[in-house]
């Protein structure tokens, strides 16, 4: 029985004398009502009413104090007791009613709490009035005397920039959309501590010449404080050709390291314990071969694949959109990517099997909004393919990573990172039903914009890179590559790559930005840009969904056309002088200081071809042929391609031979023109 009901019961358990008095009171009140009223009046004049006397259970004493006969006192007490009973009865009914109401409240659905506004309504109205007064007063007076440099100001993506952004412009802001670091929707970062806990990984891109050359560069960068390896491969490897193929002439080792077989990988990572480093590999069309070679090297070192940590780019959709390095068509290529995601989910928990890349989309001429939209659309496409295969989104999504370009528009780039995290978190939760917070976290690598580097006045590139790197850090990247000043001419020299690495180290250890998590959160302008980028990117994504998804959109060349138009507009602005590039169309100099460049000797190709001949002479050709047959069978069927490719790699089948199987089964891809 509830406590309140027990109290009421005690009141009802009146003593016998009171019950007798109640009977007497009722009979006398019925027979002689006027007399009872007269008898009760003197009692009412006392300091302690009869009702109170009844509560004290001493009605006779109370009556004695009023100098009334006992009989009258008993009648009065009876009436008072009757009132007490009625009061108690009412209390019981109220208690019962309260209990019933309480039960109903428990059963009722919870009311939705109103979104928490970031700003007080009254204050925002006051600020709006003040802003309007300022615009009509001080601003108007100044611009009348001295007009603005431009009629309108916009970001590089065309987002309008107001004269000033105030609290009034953020009146509809909801706190849950900004949140806290490490909490959904991760606008402020994927980790609660961000760089207060651990700095971003400093990952300098390295790869040129022979595997021996790149191995030496790896070890140099590690000695200088680099915390993660990043491997660039040459064009033949990226297109699925061995170094001795006719298509490889003049390109061997020129823009990355030359690899054709497992023997090259063994030399590339010689003396580097793979369970002690994280490795990023920038390779796409032939990524499945490169990953299997890395696994095989790890096994030779005694490191099981489950302990290997790193990322392989492997984003084929962006190849058709922007970079144009492919072997087969979009659909079989995405099938290979999905095989790799499935395999790594089951066997390589520390490995990111795809780095969904906006970098190349931006380098091809896209705006920041287009980079954001098309990259996230690619990510959605991969998730859809994995879900179709029956994979649990919370099993594979935590192992998806992203890769962003960081361009010159400082604040827009910061907002891009924040908008990307928020969109991805909402899409994974609401569209795909993810429940694991790690599935909703957009983890990213970033690289400063190679396309922003200029051949004119190349030392200006150091400043550009520093500003871009700072934007990436303020945007919350997990790892970062900073470009070298000479990369517009060639692969970087040892001196220039050291300056690029020092740029990151200065930001990390001398600027103070590592001491605070997401310092620009709440800035009216940053939050405005974040919202605008999210809104505009989602418009692109909805359009792609209406077309049937990103694969269909790529086949119809929709992203390609959009990027082409943006690239044209940018170049026209430069040529017309509407966009100034220091050293290019403004502040030119006739005296450009010469800089030292890295040259790749043609002897690299000769050395690589000789190693490949030796591998083919020493290997078991029957084992190679059998392994390649298994690759073909898996490609024609539905079996996962990773196991047979891994077997072929261990038998020293070459990268070109394995990719030739893909060409045989699916055909070599050729892109049609788009205008």
């Amino acid at each position: 029985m509830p406590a309140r009901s027990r109290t009421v019961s005690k009141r009802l358990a009146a003593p016998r004398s009171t019950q007798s008095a109640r009977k007497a009171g009722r009979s006398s009140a019925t027979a002689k009502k006027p007399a009872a009223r007269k008898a009760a009046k003197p009692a009412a004049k006392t300091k302690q009413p009869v009702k109170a006397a009844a509560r004290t259970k001493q009605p006779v004493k109370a009556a004695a104090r009023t100098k009334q006969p006992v009989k009258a006192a008993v009648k009065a007490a009876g009436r008072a007791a009757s009132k007490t009973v009625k009061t108690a009865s009412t209390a019981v009914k109220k208690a019962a009613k309260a209990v019933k109401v309480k039960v109903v409240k428990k059963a009722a659905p919870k009311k939705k709490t109103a979104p928490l506004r970031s700003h007080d309504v009254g204050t925002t109205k006051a600020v709006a009035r003040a802003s309007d007064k300022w615009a009509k007063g001080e601003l108007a007076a100044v611009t009348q005397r001295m007009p603005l440099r431009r009629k309108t100001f916009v970001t590089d993506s065309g987002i309008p920039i107001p004269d000033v952004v105030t609290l009034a412009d953020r009146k509809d802001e909801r706190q849950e959309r900004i949140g806290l670091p490490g909490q959904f929707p991760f606008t402020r970062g994927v980790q609660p501590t961000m760089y207060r806990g651990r700095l971003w990984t400093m990952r300098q891109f390295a790869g040129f010449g022979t595997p021996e050359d790149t191995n030496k560069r790896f070890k140099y960068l590690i000695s200088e404080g680099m915390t993660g390896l990043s491997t660039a491969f040459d064009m033949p490897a990226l297109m699925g050709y061995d170094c001795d193929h006719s298509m490889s002439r003049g390109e061997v080792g020129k823009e990355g390291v030359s690899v054709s077989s497992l023997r090259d990988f063994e030399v590339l990572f010689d003396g580097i314990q793979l369970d002690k480093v994280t490795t990023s590999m920038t390779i796409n069309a032939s990524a499945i071969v490169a990953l299997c070679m890395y696994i095989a090297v790890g096994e030779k070192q005694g490191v099981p694949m489950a302990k290997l940590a790193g990322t392989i780019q492997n984003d084929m959709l962006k190849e058709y959109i922007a970079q144009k390095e492919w072997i087969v068509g979009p659909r079989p290529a995405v099938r290979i990517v999905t095989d790799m995601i499935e395999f790594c989910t089951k066997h390589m928990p520390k490995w990111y099997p795809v780095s969904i890349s906006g970098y190349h989309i931006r380098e091809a001429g896209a705006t920041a909004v287009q980079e954001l939209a098309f990259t996230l659309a690619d990510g959605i496409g991969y998730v859809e393919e994995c879900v179709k295969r029956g994979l649990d989104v919370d099993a594979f999504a935590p192992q998806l990573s992203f890769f962003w370009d960081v361009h010159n528009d400082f604040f827009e780039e910061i907002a891009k990172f924040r908008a990307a995290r928020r969109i991805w978190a909402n899409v994974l939760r609401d569209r795909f039903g993810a429940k694991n917070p790690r599935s909703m976290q957009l983890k990213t690598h970033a690289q400063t914009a190679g396309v922003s580097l200029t051949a004119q006045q190349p030392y200006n590139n150091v400043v550009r890179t520093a500003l871009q790197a700072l934007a990436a850090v303020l945007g919350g990247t997990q790892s970062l590559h900073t470009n070298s000043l000479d990369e517009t001419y060639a692969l970087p020299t040892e001196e220039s790559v050291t300056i690029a690495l020092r740029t990151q180290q200065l930001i990390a250890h001398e600027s103070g930005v590592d001491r605070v998590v997401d310092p620009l959160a709440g800035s009216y302008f940053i939050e405005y840009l974040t919202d605008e980028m999210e809104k505009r990117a989602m418009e692109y994504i909805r359009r792609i969904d209406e077309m049937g998804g990103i694969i269909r959109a790529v086949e119809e060349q929709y992203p390609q056309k959009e990027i082409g138009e943006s690239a044209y507009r940018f170049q026209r602005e430069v040529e017309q002088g509407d966009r100034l590039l220091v050293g290019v169309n403004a502040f030119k100099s006739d005296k450009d200081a010469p800089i030292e460049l890295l040259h790749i000797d043609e002897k690299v190709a000769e050395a690589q071809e000789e190693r490949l001949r030796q591998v083919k002479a020493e290997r078991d050709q029957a084992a190679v042929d059998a392994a390649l047959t298994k690759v073909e069978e898996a490609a024609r069927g539905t079996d996962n391609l990773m196991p047979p490719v891994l077997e072929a790699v261990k038998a020293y089948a070459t990268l070109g031979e394995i990719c030739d199987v893909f060409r045989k089964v699916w055909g070599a891809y050729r892109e049609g023109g788009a205008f």
Side-chain angles (χ1 to χ4, degrees):
M1 182 182 289
R4 187 172 181 183
S5 299
R6 285 199 296 271
T7 305
V8 173
S9 298
K10 288 178 181 177
R11 289 180 185 170
L12 292 175
R16 280 181 180 271
S17 58
T18 308
Q19 292 174 10
S20 301
R22 196 182 313 147
K23 281 185 182 180
R26 279 202 198 107
S27 58
S28 60
T30 304
K32 301 177 181 178
K33 287 181 182 178
R37 289 195 191 97
K38 288 179 182 177
K41 280 182 181 178
K45 292 178 182 178
T46 63
K47 293 180 181 178
Q48 193 168 6
V50 174
K51 188 176 180 181
R55 283 201 300 270
T56 64
K57 301 179 185 178
Q58 293 179 335
V60 177
K61 287 183 180 180
R65 284 199 292 272
T66 64
K67 299 180 182 180
Q68 295 295 321
V70 173
K71 189 175 180 180
V74 169
K75 289 178 182 178
R79 291 186 66 194
S82 179
K83 288 181 181 179
T84 304
V85 171
K86 289 179 180 178
T87 304
S89 177
T90 304
V92 170
K93 289 177 181 177
K94 287 182 178 179
K97 190 176 181 181
V99 171
K100 288 179 182 177
V101 171
K102 192 173 183 181
V103 171
V104 172
K105 282 182 179 177
K106 281 185 177 179
K110 291 183 179 179
K111 291 183 178 179
K112 289 185 178 180
T113 55
L116 183 62
R117 286 179 178 270
S118 295
H119 308 296
D120 173 71
V121 175
T123 305
T124 54
K125 288 182 178 179
V127 171
R129 289 192 295 270
S131 298
D132 186 57
K133 183 179 178 182
W134 169 82
K136 294 175 181 176
E138 287 93 334
L139 180 63
V142 169
T143 54
Q144 190 172 7
R145 292 196 312 269
M146 183 175 62
L148 298 176
R149 292 184 295 111
R150 301 175 187 172
K151 290 182 179 180
T152 58
F153 287 82
V154 297
T155 68
D156 283 355
S157 294
I159 299 172
I161 302 176
D163 292 318
V164 66
V165 185
T166 70
L167 183 148
D169 300 295
R170 307 298 304 154
K171 64 181 184 298
D172 296 323
E173 185 175 275
R174 296 292 182 264
Q175 188 57 37
E176 64 269 18
R177 284 175 48 76
I178 300 174
L180 293 169
Q183 288 185 359
F184 184 91
F186 308 104
T187 310
R188 301 196 62 188
V190 295
Q191 298 294 339
T193 57
M194 290 304 287
Y195 309 134
R196 289 161 66 101
R198 187 177 70 181
L199 290 173
W200 63 93
T201 300
M202 298 179 193
R203 196 184 294 281
Q204 290 304 114
F205 205 30
F208 66 94
T210 65
E212 289 89 347
D213 295 329
T214 300
N215 177 268
K216 183 180 177 182
R217 177 65 64 85
F218 278 161
K219 291 174 179 176
Y220 169 75
L221 289 170
I222 291 171
S223 71
E224 292 295 318
M226 186 176 75
T227 55
L229 303 180
S230 184
T231 315
F233 296 91
D234 68 2
M235 184 59 73
L238 297 176
M239 298 298 290
Y241 294 112
D242 290 333
C243 62
D244 61 352
H245 196 281
S246 60
M247 291 290 288
S248 302
R249 289 176 186 168
E251 289 291 339
V252 176
K254 290 294 175 70
E255 63 174 49
V257 63
S258 172
V259 293
S260 296
S261 74
L262 177 58
R263 185 70 52 80
D264 292 318
F265 259 73
E266 292 166 357
V267 175
L268 181 61
F269 293 102
D270 180 54
I272 300 172
Q273 195 63 26
L274 297 189
D275 59 346
K276 304 296 183 185
V277 298
T278 63
T279 301
S280 172
M281 293 189 283
T282 303
I283 191 166
N284 296 276
S286 53
I288 190 169
V289 183
L291 179 57
C292 287
M293 288 181 177
Y294 192 80
I295 293 170
V297 171
E299 289 180 0
K300 286 177 176 289
Q301 292 185 359
V303 181
M305 67 176 77
K307 290 189 176 181
L308 296 175
T311 307
I312 192 159
Q313 193 166 104
N314 193 31
D315 177 9
M316 281 310 301
L317 285 172
K318 71 95 176 50
E319 291 297 325
Y320 304 102
I321 293 173
Q323 189 162 244
K324 315 298 183 183
E325 293 165 4
W326 50 60
I327 296 172
V328 296
R331 293 186 186 273
V334 171
R335 178 261 170 105
I336 296 173
V337 174
T338 310
D339 281 355
M340 294 172 70
I341 293 172
E342 181 181 31
F343 184 88
C344 290
T345 299
K346 294 177 180 177
H347 305 291
M348 301 180 73
K350 295 183 177 182
W351 194 268
Y352 291 93
V354 59
S355 179
I356 305 158
S357 304
Y359 189 86
H360 313 85
I361 292 173
R362 190 65 178 280
E363 295 285 291
T367 65
V369 167
Q370 289 171 335
E371 177 195 2
L372 178 62
F374 298 147
T375 306
L376 292 176
D378 286 350
I380 291 169
Y382 293 128
V383 174
E384 286 176 338
E385 292 302 310
C386 290
V387 170
K388 285 178 188 175
R389 186 172 289 195
L391 300 180
D392 177 8
V393 68
D394 283 322
F396 68 83
Q399 286 176 251
L400 303 179
S401 66
F402 286 79
F403 176 24
W404 302 111
D405 190 290
V406 197
H407 217 285
N408 286 332
D409 194 331
F410 188 74
F411 295 113
E412 186 174 61
E413 293 302 314
I414 295 169
K416 179 181 71 183
F417 282 83
R418 304 175 87 249
R421 286 192 292 269
R422 188 157 71 202
I423 294 172
W424 188 248
N426 281 291
V427 166
L428 265 289
R429 184 193 66 178
D430 300 338
R431 183 164 173 170
F432 295 105
K435 294 178 175 60
N436 183 352
R438 291 185 62 240
S439 302
M440 308 171 206
Q441 293 174 349
L442 186 149
K443 298 165 285 289
T444 191
H445 173 65
Q447 181 174 337
T448 56
V451 74
S452 73
L453 303 179
T454 64
Q456 302 91 332
Q457 301 178 23
Y459 287 101
N460 294 345
N461 294 332
V462 176
V463 183
R464 292 186 179 100
T465 296
L467 288 171
Q468 293 163 5
L470 181 59
V473 171
L474 291 172
T477 190
Q478 277 65 67
S479 70
L480 179 62
H481 164 90
T482 36
N483 288 329
S484 300
L485 66 93
D486 52 358
E487 285 194 59
T488 190
Y489 286 106
L491 293 172
T493 63
E494 198 168 277
E495 181 183 8
S496 66
V497 78
T498 302
I499 294 172
L501 177 59
R502 294 288 183 261
T503 302
Q504 292 200 53
Q505 292 166 337
L506 283 163
I507 292 171
H509 301 292
E510 296 189 24
S511 71
V513 296
D514 63 305
R515 302 169 199 169
V516 58
V517 179
D518 191 24
L520 297 181
S523 156
Y524 303 140
F525 183 54
I526 287 292
E527 299 300 351
Y528 162 75
L529 279 183
T530 302
D531 287 355
E532 283 294 315
M533 296 200 75
E534 178 182 15
K535 179 179 72 177
R536 292 161 188 255
M538 286 306 299
E539 288 173 1
Y540 269 118
I541 292 171
R542 278 190 287 272
R543 211 171 305 158
I544 289 168
D545 286 340
E546 290 168 0
M547 297 175 70
I550 187 62
I551 298 178
R552 184 61 185 156
V554 167
E555 289 173 338
E556 293 184 9
Q557 301 191 29
Y558 168 67
Q560 296 94 308
K561 294 172 185 175
E562 290 290 308
I563 293 169
E565 289 182 11
S566 295
Y568 170 74
R569 283 195 298 270
F570 183 96
Q571 187 60 30
R572 186 178 60 186
E573 289 171 5
V574 173
E575 292 176 1
Q576 292 178 347
D578 296 328
R579 182 185 294 273
L580 299 184
L581 300 181
V582 175
V584 178
N585 63 351
F587 313 106
K588 298 179 185 178
S589 174
D590 296 330
K591 299 178 180 179
D592 279 347
I595 58 173
E596 183 182 347
L597 297 177
L598 179 69
H599 294 280
I600 307 298
D601 199 294
E602 288 300 325
K603 291 180 180 179
V604 167
E606 296 172 9
Q608 285 301 100
E609 288 176 23
E610 176 56 34
R611 177 182 286 140
L612 183 57
R613 280 193 292 270
Q614 186 177 356
V615 167
K616 289 181 176 180
E618 295 174 353
R619 70 187 183 179
D620 182 344
Q621 189 61 43
V624 171
D625 293 340
L628 291 175
T629 298
K630 290 181 181 179
V631 173
E632 182 177 345
E633 290 171 352
R636 293 189 185 280
T638 58
D639 289 347
N640 193 299
L641 277 161
M642 279 291 292
V645 171
L646 181 58
E647 182 182 339
V649 160
K650 290 179 180 179
Y652 287 89
T654 69
L655 179 145
E657 289 170 336
I658 295 170
C659 292
D660 280 343
V661 172
F662 300 153
R663 293 185 184 95
K664 177 183 177 182
V665 173
W666 292 306
Y669 180 71
R670 296 288 184 270
E671 184 180 47
F675 299 95

